[in-house]
């Protein structure tokens, strides 16, 4: 039997204690010996901090993003190796696709987010300048910098790849190294992926370590700069969160626990409507994907009391058609539970539930026909019915972590919301309805007890990713029983691995710290027009003050005719006199068009295109006879990745635009983005 080794402190390690045996969920065959006993946990932590985090935090956000993207491509090229191992976890090809390729897509997604929105730097200015004084010489800004510790990720057994990757992407983008502790039952798949990561040569030394087995006394050596994330049972999570090191050192601890998620069928739905079939399909899918071993699976199906018999009949029919067995066999729709111990746990929980619920299909006494070896940890899709859910506390507190769901009736929407909230906090809930007012009412009632709400109707069903699919750009987590934590959520997830610091000082000092010009900071000027300069030659704070232009009545009339904008404040002298302006004013869009005419360099040069405009605000009206002038300042520069030697190397330059009148008062403020050619390519 093969030893499943850990990769820690730069080497592969197998423990000195009595190893634990890991078996195939499909055949019961013993696969690996697992042990991490005797590991020097302090050495492991220091290796991550001193090698991995120092290297990652020294890279810019965009360098980290490109590293993550390149790694995703490499993992994708090796995906079939992971599929072969994944079968032993009891997963079908569809289950494995969610885990393997779904996890890899998270890396791609985070890389794209970072390339679009993060600076090409190691410091992240989080917000705009906050004035703290009347004259503007004292201000503040929030900045994010990488923590100097490591992230310890303790993951569940159900998604050995996705569970790791959805945490690694924001961790690495935040500039922090990771120690991955997979659940022992499926650690062999996680370890295989980590091996491939190391073979890629794309990660700095120490960026990732994996512990197969117990973390020993690692919690004793954690420090306040470290971060711990946990995915698994609420009981284990609460025990870890109360560890003295976590509480005494205020170590950030993010917990994502299994919850009794629900799906609510709207009171507007009838059996003839598409939404009825969608509800049945969604509940069936969430019960059987990964054999129901998902923290987001639907555990409670809440339906109008008038429809409970119809729903029970439709669900029972669907579930009894599910073929259970070896995922490698054609026609198998649901695989095994991860282990015999997990099978026994599900049976125990179903026994508890069936004491107060009716078993409609499946259950402990059902005769299960298995395709393939009967030695696996198989369990039938099981639907229970509870007619008095307000009186049976177990249906809202006992979770059978397998293909098990309880059907229950509600009287009205208020009653449905009350049942949903009896779960004491959930990762996700679904509302299946064709009526907007039903969705709005339920969302308002149950939103506070859910991390995510999935509203499903005929229109959204064509493209919906489903109830149980957390997405990288959305928050994954929930209140109460769900752990009170938050993962992913786009760039919000990156901030969990960074320290937010409010820095006060002069605008010039804040510009130097953030490497980004802010209004009020010192500027520099050059007789060469900035649009004639390549990306590398532009200096942050470089300013152009343009010539002036006086606005005439002809300008306003001509722009109105050209644009078709004949709004009275611009074109009707009598109506404009009675307006808040007291007289005719220029179109706002004419003002910024005229401003562009003042600062644009007409001749061909390094500026390739206008990339966009942000934060446009019209401050003061511009009237006939007013004179405008523009102050154009290089605010920040973002180097773009050159994809091929043939592609023009370029970067994005953000320019602060301040349009002023004859009294030097701002009339319009905004930022424009330009694509600017680079002389020095990456190839």
């Amino acid at each position: 039997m093969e030893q499943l080794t850990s990769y820690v402190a730069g080497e592969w390690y197998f423990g000195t204690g009595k190893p634990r045996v890991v078996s195939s969920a499909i055949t019961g065959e013993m696969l690996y010996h697992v042990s991490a006993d005797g590991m020097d946990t302090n050495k492991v932590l220091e290796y991550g901090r001193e090698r991995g985090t120092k290297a990652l935090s020294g890279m810019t956000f965009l360098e980290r993003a490109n590293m993550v993207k390149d790694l995703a491509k490499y993992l994708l090229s090796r995906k079939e190796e992971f599929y072969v191992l994944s079968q032993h976890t009891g997963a079908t090809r569809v289950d494995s696709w969610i885990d393997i390729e779904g996890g890899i897509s998270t890396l791609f997604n985070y890389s794209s987010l970072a390339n679009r929105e993060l600076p090409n730097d190691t410091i992240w200015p989080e917000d705009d300048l906050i004035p703290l004084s009347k004259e503007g010489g004292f201000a503040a800004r929030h900045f994010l910098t990488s923590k100097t510790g490591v992230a310890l990720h303790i993951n569940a057994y159900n998604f050995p790849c996705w569970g790791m990757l959805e945490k690694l992407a924001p961790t690495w983008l935040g500039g922090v190294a990771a120690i991955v502790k997979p659940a022992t039952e499926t650690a062999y798949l996680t370890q295989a992926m980590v091996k491939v990561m190391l073979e890629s040569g794309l990660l700095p030394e120490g960026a990732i370590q994996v512990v197969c087995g117990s973390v020993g006394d690692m919690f004793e050596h954690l420090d306040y700069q470290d971060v711990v994330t946990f995915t698994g049972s609420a009981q284990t999570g609460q025990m870890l969160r109360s560890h003295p090191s976590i509480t005494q050192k205020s170590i950030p601890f993010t917990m994502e626990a299994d919850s009794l998620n629900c799906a609510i069928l709207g009171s507007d739905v009838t059996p003839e409507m598409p939404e009825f079939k969608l509800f049945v399909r969604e509940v069936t899918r969430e019960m059987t994907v990964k054999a129901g071993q998902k923290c987001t699976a639907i555990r409670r199906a809440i339906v109008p009391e008038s429809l409970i018999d119809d729903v029970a009949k439709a669900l029972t029919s669907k579930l009894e058609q599910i073929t259970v067995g070896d995922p490698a066999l054609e026609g198998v729709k649901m695989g095994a539970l991860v282990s015999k111990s997990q099978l026994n746990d599900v049976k125990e929980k179903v026994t508890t539930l069936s004491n107060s619920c009716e078993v409609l299909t499946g259950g402990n006494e059902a005769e299960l026909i298995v395709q393939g070896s009967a030695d696996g940890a198989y369990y039938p899709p099981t639907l229970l019915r509870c007619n008095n859910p307000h009186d049976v506390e177990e249906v809202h507190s006992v979770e059978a972590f397998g293909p098990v769901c309880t059907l229950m009736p509600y009287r009205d929407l208020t009653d449905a919301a009350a049942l949903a909230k009896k779960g004491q906090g959930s990762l996700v809930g679904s509302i299946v309805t064709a009526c907007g007012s039903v969705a709005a009412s339920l969302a308002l009632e149950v939103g506070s007890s859910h991390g995510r709400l999935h509203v499903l109707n005929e229109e959204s069903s064509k493209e919906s990713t489903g109830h149980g699919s957390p997405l990288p750009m959305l928050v994954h987590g929930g209140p109460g029983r769900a752990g009170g934590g938050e993962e992913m959520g786009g760039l919000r997830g990156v901030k969990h691995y960074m320290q937010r610091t409010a820095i006060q000082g002069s605008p010039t000092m804040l510009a130097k710290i953030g490497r980004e010009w802010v209004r009020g900071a010192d500027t520099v000027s050059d007789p060469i027009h900035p649009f004639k300069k390549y990306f590398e030659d532009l200096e942050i704070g470089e300013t152009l003050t343009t010539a002036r232009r006086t606005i005439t009545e002809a300008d306003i009339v001509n722009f109105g005719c050209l644009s078709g904008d004949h709004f009275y404040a611009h074109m009707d002298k009598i109506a404009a006199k009675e307006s808040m302006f007291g007289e005719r004013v220029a179109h706002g869009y004419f003002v910024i068009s005229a401003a562009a005419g003042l600062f644009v360099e007409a001749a061909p040069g390094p500026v390739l295109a206008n990339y966009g405009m942000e934060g446009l605000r019209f401050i003061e009206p511009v009237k006939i006879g007013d004179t405008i002038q523009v102050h154009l300042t290089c605010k920040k520069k973002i180097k773009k990745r050159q994809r091929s030697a043939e592609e023009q190397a370029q970067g994005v330059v953000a320019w602060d635009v301040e349009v002023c009148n004859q009294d030097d008062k701002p009339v319009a403020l905004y930022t424009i983005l330009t694509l600017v050619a680079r002389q020095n390519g990456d190839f």
Side-chain angles (χ1 to χ4, degrees), residues 584-624:
R584 291 163 68 191
V585 296
H587 304 72
Y589 294 113
F590 168 71
V591 172
I592 61 174
S593 297
L598 290 171
F599 65 70
V600 165
E601 168 61 36
V607 174
L608 306 173
N610 186 326
Y611 195 61
M613 180 184 295
E614 297 175 343
L616 173 62
R617 293 291 183 271
F618 295 116
I619 311 300
E620 294 286 341
V622 175
K623 301 175 180 179
I624 297 170

Side-chain angles (χ1 to χ4, degrees), residues 150-184:
V150 294
L152 172 59
H153 296 312
I154 303 172
N155 296 329
Y157 67 77
N158 51 347
F159 287 99
C161 297
W162 182 88
M164 169 178 63
L165 296 174
E166 59 101 6
K167 295 180 178 71
L168 284 178
T171 301
W172 286 335
L173 283 180
V176 175
I179 300 170
V180 177
K181 163 54 181 94
T184 302

Side-chain angles (χ1 to χ4, degrees), residues 61 64 118-119 121-132 138-147 174 225 494-519 521 540 635-636:
F61 287 105
R64 297 171 206 163
L118 293 183
D121 212 324
T122 55
I123 190 169
W124 181 357
E126 189 181 22
D127 51 17
D128 293 329
L129 191 73
I130 304 167
L132 298 176
F138 186 54
R141 201 173 187 190
H142 292 96
F143 293 92
L144 293 162
T145 52
S146 300
K147 290 180 178 290
Q225 285 288 308
V494 178
K495 295 179 181 181
H496 296 324
Y497 305 97
M498 307 191 77
Q499 177 60 46
R500 178 182 291 106
T501 306
I503 301 182
Q504 299 168 288
S506 69
T508 299
M509 281 295 183
L510 295 176
K512 291 290 184 183
I513 292 169
R515 270 91 78 171
E516 181 178 308
W517 185 84
V518 292
R519 288 197 178 100
I540 300 295
K635 186 177 180 180
K636 63 180 177 180

Side-chain angles (χ1 to χ4, degrees), residues 551 553 555-561 563-571 584-594 618 622:
I551 307 304
E553 181 180 14
D555 290 330
I556 297 174
V557 172
N558 289 336
F559 188 82
C561 293
S563 65
D565 181 354
H566 295 96
F567 187 62
Y568 74 89
H570 312 309
M571 310 298 285
R584 291 163 68 191
V585 296
H587 304 72
Y589 294 113
F590 168 71
V591 172
I592 61 174
S593 297
F618 295 116
V622 175

